[in-house]
Amino acid sequence: SRGEGPPHGILVFGHRIDDDDVARMAERLRSGLSLIPIDHSMTPEQRSVIDAIVTTGIPRIHPVDGEQMIGIGVARDLLGAPIVAVEVTLPRFVYQQALTSTRLLLATLAIATFACVGVTLLVLRMTVLSRLAALHADVAMIGRGADLRARVSVRGHDELSDLATTVNMLLERVATSREELAHRADELQSTSNELVVARDAAEGSNRSKSEFLANMSHEVRTPMTAILGYADLLAEQIGQPGFRPTDCVETIRRNARHLLTIINDILDLSKIEAGRMQVERLDCCSVTLGHEVVELLRENAANKGLNLQLRISSPIPATIHSDPTRLRQILLNLAGNAIKFTREGSVTIDMRFDRVRGRLITDVIDTGIGIRPEQARQLFSAFSQADASTSRVFGGTGLGLAISHKLAQLLGGALELTETNARGSTFRLEVETGPIPANAAWISSADERPVPCAIATPTATPSTDAALSGLRLLLAEDGPDNQRLISFLLRKAGALVELANDGRAAVDAVVAAAARHAPFDLVLMDMQMPVLDGYGATRELRDRGFRLPILALTAHAMEGDRNQCLAAGCDEYASKPIHKQHLIDACSRLGRRETTSRQAA
């Protein structure tokens, strides 16, 4: 055909490839070559590889080892169908050449490194190490000979020469410091002596604490012995002819009050040491406080045949601004101690006013046994008395003066021992009085009628009969003895009392009473109870909407305990042991308030 007209069919030229052809191609390629027919004779692994190549159209090349790598491709027929797989094995010329070059480079670097290190060590030995060795030898020789006047040699003008110069400077300083060390040694010896004195003082403090614990044990066990003994005697002899139970009761009451005084002293000291002691600033009359102290201690002084008196040495403001409770506590302690340590003579409370400094000065003067100088040094320390023998003869815990000393400081003043000898002692108390108005009244004599004080000592106990008449009270208390005692006092005062053994029972009783339309007028809540304590019971009642008054009863008497009770929802707080009159007054005040509020509603 000359290319004229349409084509008719396709002319295909082909050549049959046999093993010889494959061998010739492999020789030309300088590599291994093999043809794998794509048919049923392939292995599963070959089939998997061929299928991946057919699907992606990308030949697969992967190394066999460091010497060879294999490439696999697929040849297709005229219709595009895969017909045969071509596998070519090629040597890794570049990889082998890279390995050879790397080995040569590493060998060259190793040889160069060894050469550089050798040259460097040689240079260092010549320029540095030999000089260091010489410097070391000089220093070692000076060290062995202990001759601080010797010096090392300095060669060159580099860092080593600077080091040698520095060593020589250090030697000069060491030589200079030797004399200072000798001086310091003398000072250390002196300090050692002071430490011995301090150790002896610490041991003395430990002995004081041990003596305090022994005195405290004695002071606590003595009233407890009387209380338990007279309680047993009262139980055994009650009803016997001629037996006077009032004597036993009075003895038990007197020793219980003494025990409570000891506990209060310990609590006061704990609050002071913890920085939680707070003082008030109220208008009060110091002369009134002086008269109260004299009246309270007059019987004790009379029993020993002592003359106890209040004396005014200079005009005193009728009213000062201070804490009357704490001021009375200090005066009671000072006057009580004076009576305790005085066998005959008198005890005088002498008051005067320092106009320049604005201070009330009170001297407590006795004609007692006096205080030795070594005893006076630790007189205001806690846990100490004059000596152990004094505590055994006269009694006491040794806390009173320590507490009074701290209280005087809190009141803006001071407490000190101003005079002591074999004929007696004088303690001086100074407290701030606050501003004194120009038109203030003044008291010049102890015989003048004093003005009323902010906190007066009760002289008589009002009757409590029927004070709680008509009030319905709930007493939540888990102690059977306290239940009987408190409920007896309340019922004797006319109240209707219902008991609850724990906080949960108290909550249930309040809810039940409200449901009966017969609510309680007051709840007396012990704060330490099983199942649910008083704090939890009070919070639950407040959360439920009950607004009836709640009076907290607790044996905890610290300032933070009162705040904790009030924060829980209580209206007032009363500490144990219970004071009958205070309890009745609080119940009457709270209960009547609730009754009035309910009637108004």
Side-chain angles (χ1 to χ4, degrees):
S1 172
R2 295 181 180 179
E4 298 175 356
H8 297 278
I10 299 173
L11 179 64
V12 178
F13 293 91
H15 176 75
R16 179 179 178 81
I17 300 176
D18 56 14
D19 293 339
D20 293 336
D21 294 327
V22 173
R24 285 194 295 272
M25 286 188 288
E27 182 178 359
R28 292 178 182 177
L29 292 174
R30 296 181 181 179
S31 60
L33 176 66
S34 60
L35 301 179
I36 304 173
I38 300 176
D39 54 20
H40 62 276
S41 63
M42 291 190 300
T43 64
E45 294 181 358
Q46 291 175 335
R47 170 66 65 184
S48 175
V49 173
I50 297 302
D51 289 344
I53 296 174
V54 170
T55 301
T56 61
I58 301 174
R60 180 177 177 181
I61 301 174
H62 63 89
V64 178
D65 52 25
E67 301 291 337
Q68 294 179 331
M69 63 188 304
I70 294 177
I72 302 175
V74 175
R76 301 176 183 269
D77 59 12
L78 295 177
L79 299 179
I83 187 173
V84 66
V86 181
E87 183 179 89
V88 180
T89 303
L90 298 173
R92 303 179 68 181
F93 296 110
V94 176
Y95 177 76
Q96 293 296 325
Q97 187 65 35
L99 287 178
T100 302
S101 300
T102 301
R103 293 190 184 99
L104 290 175
L105 177 61
L106 292 176
T108 303
L109 288 176
I111 294 172
T113 299
F114 283 118
C116 290
V117 169
V119 173
T120 301
L121 290 176
L122 180 61
V123 173
L124 285 175
R125 181 176 181 82
M126 295 176 61
T127 60
V128 177
L129 296 179
S130 61
R131 296 171 63 192
L132 281 176
L135 180 61
H136 175 268
D138 292 343
V139 173
M141 180 182 65
I142 295 173
R144 287 192 300 269
D147 185 6
L148 299 180
R149 292 174 297 179
R151 297 293 181 267
V152 299
S153 57
V154 180
R155 291 181 296 173
H157 301 281
D158 53 14
E159 288 79 0
L160 287 178
S161 62
D162 294 341
L163 177 61
T165 303
T166 303
V167 170
N168 289 334
M169 293 173 59
L170 289 175
L171 289 173
E172 291 179 2
R173 293 182 180 179
V174 169
T176 304
S177 300
R178 174 174 288 183
E179 295 181 359
E180 296 180 359
L181 288 175
H183 179 68
R184 293 289 177 86
D186 295 337
E187 292 181 351
L188 287 175
Q189 182 62 39
S190 176
T191 304
S192 176
N193 295 335
E194 294 176 358
L195 289 175
V196 171
V197 174
R199 181 201 62 193
D200 294 340
E203 292 176 352
S205 176
N206 288 333
R207 285 193 300 269
S208 297
K209 290 184 179 180
S210 299
E211 292 171 0
F212 165 77
L213 292 176
N215 293 339
M216 184 62 66
S217 175
H218 170 76
E219 290 295 321
V220 171
R221 289 176 182 272
T222 297
M224 285 302 298
T225 301
I227 292 171
L228 296 175
Y230 275 88
D232 294 339
L233 180 62
L234 183 62
E236 293 174 1
Q237 300 296 324
I238 191 70
Q240 296 294 327
F243 178 70
R244 299 176 58 187
T246 55
D247 293 340
C248 294
V249 172
E250 183 59 32
T251 301
I252 293 174
R253 181 182 298 169
R254 183 173 61 254
N255 283 276
R257 287 174 178 170
H258 175 62
L259 189 59
L260 183 61
T261 300
I262 295 173
I263 295 173
N264 289 335
D265 282 347
I266 295 174
L267 290 177
D268 282 345
L269 183 63
S270 300
K271 287 190 285 187
I272 291 172
E273 295 295 335
R276 296 171 59 184
M277 174 64 75
Q278 297 180 354
V279 295
E280 298 179 302
R281 298 291 180 179
L282 305 173
D283 289 337
C284 60
C285 177
S286 57
V287 179
T288 299
L289 294 176
H291 279 290
E292 291 176 1
V293 171
V294 170
E295 290 301 321
L296 289 171
L297 298 178
R298 188 180 301 280
E299 183 178 355
N300 291 346
N303 291 336
K304 298 185 67 173
L306 302 177
N307 179 28
L308 177 62
Q309 61 178 338
L310 175 66
R311 186 172 64 196
I312 307 299
S313 298
S314 69
I316 295 176
T319 302
I320 64 172
H321 200 63
S322 186
D323 188 326
T325 300
R326 297 306 177 184
L327 185 54
R328 181 192 296 111
Q329 180 179 353
I330 299 173
L331 294 177
L332 279 173
N333 181 266
L334 294 177
N337 279 348
I339 294 173
K340 181 195 303 184
F341 294 108
T342 301
R343 293 189 176 93
E344 58 182 13
S346 64
V347 174
T348 302
I349 303 175
D350 183 271
M351 291 185 173
R352 64 182 184 277
F353 180 64
D354 187 338
R355 295 175 180 266
V356 176
R357 295 187 298 157
R359 289 193 172 193
L360 173 68
I361 301 176
T362 303
D363 289 338
V364 178
I365 309 165
D366 64 64
T367 58
I369 61 175
I371 301 173
R372 295 194 299 271
E374 61 273 13
Q375 298 168 347
R377 284 193 291 269
Q378 55 181 352
L379 198 59
F380 298 109
S381 301
F383 317 117
S384 67
Q385 267 195 337
D387 58 25
S389 61
T390 300
S391 63
R392 285 194 296 269
V393 174
F394 295 96
T397 62
L399 295 179
L401 286 178
I403 295 172
S404 298
H405 185 260
K406 296 291 186 180
L407 290 177
Q409 293 176 343
L410 291 175
L411 294 176
L415 175 62
E416 60 180 345
L417 174 67
T418 59
E419 183 180 356
T420 182
N421 50 51
R423 295 186 299 275
S425 304
T426 299
F427 283 86
R428 177 165 296 170
L429 169 66
E430 297 185 9
V431 295
E432 291 181 347
T433 61
I436 304 299
N439 59 348
W442 294 79
I443 299 175
S444 302
S445 171
D447 296 330
E448 294 184 31
R449 184 178 181 86
V451 298
C453 199
I455 299 179
T457 303
T459 57
T461 301
S463 174
T464 60
D465 294 341
L468 305 181
S469 177
L471 295 181
R472 299 187 69 252
L473 309 181
L474 174 64
L475 173 60
E477 167 67 57
D478 62 315
D481 294 333
N482 284 336
Q483 280 185 354
R484 288 192 294 270
L485 173 63
I486 299 175
S487 62
F488 172 79
L489 296 176
L490 297 176
R491 286 170 180 148
K492 185 179 179 182
L496 300 175
V497 181
E498 185 174 328
L499 298 177
N501 293 322
D502 55 65
R504 175 53 57 199
V507 174
D508 295 341
V510 172
V511 174
R516 296 193 306 266
H517 301 289
F520 293 106
D521 297 306
L522 172 66
V523 176
L524 288 85
M525 186 77 73
D526 181 29
M527 307 312 287
Q528 300 294 330
M529 291 186 293
V531 184
L532 180 65
D533 63 13
Y535 301 103
T538 301
R539 293 191 187 97
E540 183 170 340
L541 288 174
R542 296 312 188 202
D543 291 340
R544 291 190 178 197
F546 289 97
R547 293 289 156 243
L548 76 168
I550 299 177
L551 175 62
L553 302 178
T554 176
H556 300 297
M558 300 294 280
E559 181 68 21
D561 300 315
R562 178 181 183 276
N563 295 335
Q564 187 177 0
C565 293
L566 299 181
C570 297
D571 293 88
E572 285 196 23
Y573 160 96
S575 62
K576 298 178 181 178
I578 297 298
H579 187 282
K580 180 177 66 174
Q581 186 60 46
H582 293 171
L583 177 66
I584 300 301
D585 290 345
C587 291
S588 177
R589 182 172 58 258
L590 294 175
R592 299 298 179 193
R593 185 185 70 186
E594 175 64 13
T595 302
T596 303
S597 175
R598 192 180 298 126
Q599 291 174 351

